[in-house]
Amino acid sequence: MSTELINRITVKKDGVYVSSHSSNDTSPYHSWRCKGLSEIYDAEGQKGLDREVIRMLYEYAELRGTHKSLARYRYAKDAPAAHAIYQKYMDKIDDRYGQMDEADQNSVWYKPTE
């Protein structure tokens, strides 16, 4: 499975542009208008955009480079408070999983692997 590598996120008059490429692709980064992020930004502003970018980072994307547009997301994802929140919920998931019987444990998707 590939990871989307993002090295810039820019808000322009006509929408949100992302400069990215896939980790399993040899092509260079390319900038493209992201329809989904543009719609969220139009409807909810910066707060909605931030929420969706963070969701992307936890699900399938990684930040690359040092462009200033990435600083807010890098901080939000790497801050000690973010790690504490993540750990709190991972502990809850672990506890719940431990309470399940073996048949149920074998039937659910639990910790993802690389």
Side-chain angles (χ1 to χ4, degrees):
M1 186 169 131
S2 71
T3 301
E4 196 68 15
L5 306 175
I6 299 171
N7 74 352
R8 184 176 302 202
I9 300 170
T10 309
V11 178
K12 297 183 179 181
K13 288 181 182 181
D14 65 333
V16 177
Y17 286 78
V18 176
S19 176
S20 68
H21 83 99
S22 289
S23 61
N24 64 353
D25 190 357
T26 59
S27 65
Y29 284 88
H30 65 282
S31 184
W32 52 282
R33 183 181 182 276
C34 182
K35 181 181 176 187
L37 291 179
S38 296
E39 290 172 352
I40 289 168
Y41 184 78
D42 288 343
E44 301 177 44
Q46 188 67 48
K47 185 176 181 179
L49 176 62
D50 290 348
R51 180 193 66 242
E52 287 304 306
V53 171
I54 292 296
R55 183 189 60 76
M56 290 166 47
L57 295 176
Y58 275 104
E59 291 181 10
Y60 62 88
E62 290 181 15
L63 301 176
R64 293 287 198 246
T66 58
H67 190 265
K68 66 181 182 177
S69 65
L70 305 179
R72 68 189 300 118
Y73 305 114
R74 186 168 281 117
Y75 175 77
K77 191 166 187 287
D78 296 339
H83 289 287
I85 293 168
Y86 176 81
Q87 192 59 53
K88 173 183 173 183
Y89 286 97
M90 285 309 298
D91 290 346
K92 288 182 180 190
I93 291 169
D94 290 342
D95 288 344
R96 181 69 175 139
Y97 182 80
Q99 294 171 11
M100 298 169 70
D101 61 41
E102 187 176 346
D104 287 338
Q105 287 179 353
N106 293 333
S107 70
V108 297
W109 178 72
Y110 181 46
K111 295 210 174 181
T113 64
E114 288 298 319

